[in-house]
Amino acid sequence: MEFQTLKSIIEGLLFMVGEEGLSLKHLAEITEIRAEVVEEALHDLKGDLERAKRGIQLVEIAGMFHFTTLPEHVPYFERMAYSPSRSSLSQAALETLSIVAYRQPITRVEIEEVRGVKSDRAIQTLVNKDLIEEVGRAEAIGRPILYGTTKSFLDYFGLSNLSELPEASEFERTEGLEEETQLLFEKLEGRQLTIEDVGGEK
């Protein structure tokens, strides 16, 4: 395999797994290339991003390689997250939030198994809005992130605690979405507040 092709494959793999990242060992297993060659490709890819002054960077955290945004761009991400034009949740985000609320703690892969589609963007939206957060790591290959709801989630929907979530049994005849997903969507869809209304509490 050509070195440039290997870099391209690694870039695609890291983009696909999102913030969970991949270890050097896992990348070597997937590409069937020696770990030292993969490590060299990662180093070269990191340099490519830096030299091109791209908006993302390649970092290693706790042995896992990830793409992340640049720290100096944080003010712009905050403006986007709290912009009035982006204050309400899309159906995809609310659907994902519902799954997290009823199934927490839950991994991205488990969320996608319920929804049947990739959920990286919806998850990132909810993290940016402080509605879900990382609550741990699953005891599975790659130690995927476990997500749970935040205090802002309760504020957002006017709940005192999670016990006030509607009982899933109320929607025994729900079709399409998982029962609890459809339940929260229908029960709380009309009660969405703007991000400004919850005061941005962290």
Side-chain angles (χ1 to χ4, degrees):
M1 182 186 298
E2 292 185 358
F3 191 68
Q4 186 58 43
T5 299
L6 175 60
K7 285 168 54 180
S8 179
I9 291 170
I10 290 173
E11 183 175 5
L13 289 169
L14 293 178
F15 176 82
M16 184 177 70
V17 298
E19 63 184 51
E20 292 182 14
L22 289 168
S23 67
L24 176 60
K25 179 181 179 182
H26 201 175
L27 284 166
E29 290 174 351
I30 294 170
T31 59
E32 299 183 330
I33 300 293
R34 297 195 318 276
E36 55 267 31
V37 177
V38 172
E39 186 173 23
E40 183 181 353
L42 284 164
H43 179 77
D44 211 51
L45 179 57
K46 178 180 174 66
D48 288 346
L49 294 172
E50 292 172 351
R51 286 188 292 273
K53 299 185 184 300
R54 296 282 298 279
I56 58 173
Q57 61 181 339
L58 177 59
V59 300
E60 180 183 2
I61 302 174
M64 306 294 284
F65 291 89
H66 317 252
F67 283 134
T68 69
T69 54
L70 303 179
E72 56 267 34
H73 295 167
V74 166
Y76 300 97
F77 305 143
E78 290 177 343
R79 289 180 202 169
M80 180 182 72
Y82 297 109
S83 168
S85 63
R86 296 181 58 85
S87 60
S88 62
L89 294 176
S90 66
Q91 179 171 344
L94 184 54
E95 197 173 301
T96 301
L97 180 59
S98 303
I99 295 169
V100 175
Y102 279 98
R103 301 291 188 93
Q104 60 185 303
I106 187 170
T107 66
R108 175 185 59 81
V109 171
E110 291 170 333
I111 293 170
E112 292 173 348
E113 287 176 353
V114 175
R115 293 193 64 221
V117 295
K118 288 187 68 62
S119 301
D120 300 76
R121 183 171 297 180
I123 289 172
Q124 192 58 53
T125 294
L126 295 172
V127 170
N128 288 341
K129 291 181 180 292
D130 194 31
L131 295 174
I132 66 172
E133 63 184 352
E134 179 180 339
V135 296
R137 294 272 180 170
E139 295 295 335
I141 296 175
R143 300 274 306 195
I145 294 171
L146 288 167
Y147 292 99
T149 54
T150 65
K151 180 181 180 298
S152 291
F153 163 78
L154 300 176
D155 294 339
Y156 194 86
F157 288 112
L159 303 172
S160 298
N161 52 62
L162 291 175
S163 67
E164 292 188 359
L165 285 171
E167 292 291 335
S169 61
E170 294 178 20
F171 277 72
E172 294 178 354
R173 291 174 294 179
T174 296
E175 297 179 357
L177 295 174
E178 287 288 320
E179 184 173 280
E180 60 269 28
T181 304
Q182 183 71 7
L183 172 63
L184 191 63
F185 181 84
E186 294 189 5
K187 187 79 171 180
L188 301 178
E189 183 182 19
R191 297 176 58 189
Q192 291 190 58
L193 307 176
T194 63
I195 288 296
E196 288 80 4
D197 289 334
V198 299
E201 293 184 14
K202 300 289 184 180

